[in-house]
Amino acid sequence: MPAELIDGVAIAARVRQRVAHDTAALKALGVTPGLTAVLVGNDPASAVYVGSKERACKEAGMHGESIRLPASTPEVELLALIDRLNADPAVHGILVQMPLPKHIDSPSVIRRIAPAKDVDGFHPFNVGKLFTGDRDGFAPCTPAGVQVMLEEAGVDTSGKEAVILGRSNIVGKPMAALLIQSGKTADCTVTICHSRTKDLASHTRRADILIAAIGRPEMVTAEMVKPGAVVIDVGINRVDDPSAPKGYRIVGDVKFDEVSRVASKISPVPGGVGRMTIAMLLANTVRAARLSIGG
Ligand code: GUN
């Protein structure tokens, strides 16, 4: 039987509806949630992400602003901009798009963002809260979105083997931190695999929940997946396709056609996790705005 689809578009739309509702409630109290995204340089993919964040904010009734800086911007200038945004009461969430140009030290930039405005959840203060199970902080948007997808798809995670492919600070590590906590849509036994993992398939075949965030097009094949597993594909990869109108198409890290015949539930690419990231960013920003007035 083919796997049931976990529809990220529909789940993200529900999250965004809640965000719009909460935004309206805050506006009635005189507070318009505001997110400022900072983009340094002109990486085309990053520019697309930042543009869609701005549009999504406006659709939800929030204030969305993008600040675009040249690739040559000195680190001190970026840090001074963050200081200004930290001090601006109309800005509730600050996002500095990654990756940054090589001459800028990303950890220093992340540490400069006020933890209360760090809606990306990248600041060590929020990372610490995430690992210690303190729900007051902000969780990074992509793994938080995956957790919401598992919840909305009715996946029972308690005591299950979750295997995560990829150890990035943006997805793999925080995903593990979310799934090892005690509580709802968590309580997993977690394995993180990465580029140095030996015999990858021996790990992936144990997974009740397999989360692929490795950035390698269609790397996960059917024989790597346990029958009945839940598979979440975080990958967004461009592959050449002369038959496609743009000359390329977007694929995930999972070979969807064959894995969907083995899995019980699977998220597609596109139409899966991608939409959730922005929805969770909006949700974090509304929460930051509410917390700023003591709520
Ligand atoms: N680059 C890729 N994903 C992200 C993200 O979630 N936040 C930021 N700031 N940069 C990214």
Side-chain angles (χ1 to χ4, degrees):
M1 208 171 61
E4 186 186 312
L5 269 194
I6 303 180
D7 182 351
V9 177
I11 299 169
R14 288 201 285 279
V15 172
R16 282 166 71 158
Q17 254 168 22
R18 275 201 298 276
V19 167
H21 176 269
D22 293 352
T23 297
L26 278 169
K27 279 176 147 175
L29 297 173
V31 178
T32 301
L35 171 71
T36 298
V38 181
L39 174 63
V40 186
N42 38 29
D43 174 59
S46 293
V48 170
Y49 291 142
V50 168
S52 31
K53 282 163 193 163
E54 202 174 338
R55 269 193 309 281
C57 282
K58 297 208 166 111
E59 268 171 45
M62 297 165 52
H63 184 66
E65 184 195 19
S66 303
I67 299 176
R68 293 174 167 81
L69 301 173
S72 58
T73 302
E75 185 176 311
V76 282
E77 259 181 45
L78 179 58
L79 295 176
L81 170 64
I82 293 172
D83 290 343
R84 281 203 301 281
L85 296 173
N86 283 340
D88 184 344
V91 175
H92 303 101
I94 302 169
L95 174 147
V96 179
Q97 184 67 29
M98 301 290 160
L100 286 167
K102 294 224 170 355
H103 67 278
I104 297 178
D105 181 52
S106 303
S108 303
V109 170
I110 290 167
R111 279 198 300 271
R112 195 68 160 239
I113 298 170
K117 297 192 178 190
D118 169 39
V119 286
D120 254 330
F122 293 169
H123 191 290
F125 187 77
N126 283 315
V127 175
K129 284 192 169 195
L130 179 67
F131 268 84
T132 54
D134 181 340
R135 287 160 203 267
D136 282 357
F138 294 104
C141 302
T142 301
V146 170
Q147 194 177 36
V148 170
M149 288 171 86
L150 292 171
E151 186 180 336
E152 294 270 324
V155 177
D156 175 15
T157 56
S158 182
K160 300 288 164 60
E161 292 270 353
V163 176
I164 300 164
L165 305 184
R167 58 176 159 184
S168 72
N169 289 337
I170 295 182
V171 186
K173 288 180 206 162
M175 187 78 252
L178 285 167
L179 293 178
I180 54 172
Q181 300 305 324
S182 63
K184 199 163 142 230
T185 323
D187 283 322
C188 294
T189 302
V190 176
T191 304
I192 300 186
C193 300
H194 47 77
S195 53
R196 299 297 164 110
T197 297
K198 293 200 168 65
D199 193 4
L200 189 64
S202 71
H203 296 281
T204 59
R205 275 198 291 264
R206 279 193 294 105
D208 301 307
I209 299 164
L210 180 62
I211 298 169
I214 215 158
R216 305 250 297 267
E218 301 184 317
M219 197 205 70
V220 177
T221 56
E223 62 269 23
M224 294 169 73
V225 177
K226 174 161 119 176
V230 174
V231 179
I232 305 283
D233 191 349
V234 182
I236 299 178
N237 309 291
R238 261 188 197 192
V239 292
D240 292 339
D241 181 354
S243 71
K246 290 183 177 160
Y248 66 85
R249 68 197 155 85
I250 301 293
V251 298
D253 292 352
V254 175
K255 231 180 191 159
F256 183 85
D257 288 351
E258 56 179 69
V259 173
S260 61
R261 283 186 228 121
V262 179
S264 62
K265 299 181 194 235
I266 187 167
S267 72
V269 176
V273 177
R275 297 293 189 99
M276 292 302 294
T277 302
I278 291 184
M280 299 311 290
L281 179 68
L282 300 185
N284 277 352
T285 303
V286 170
R287 219 177 110 237
R290 198 183 309 120
L291 291 170
S292 77
I293 54 165

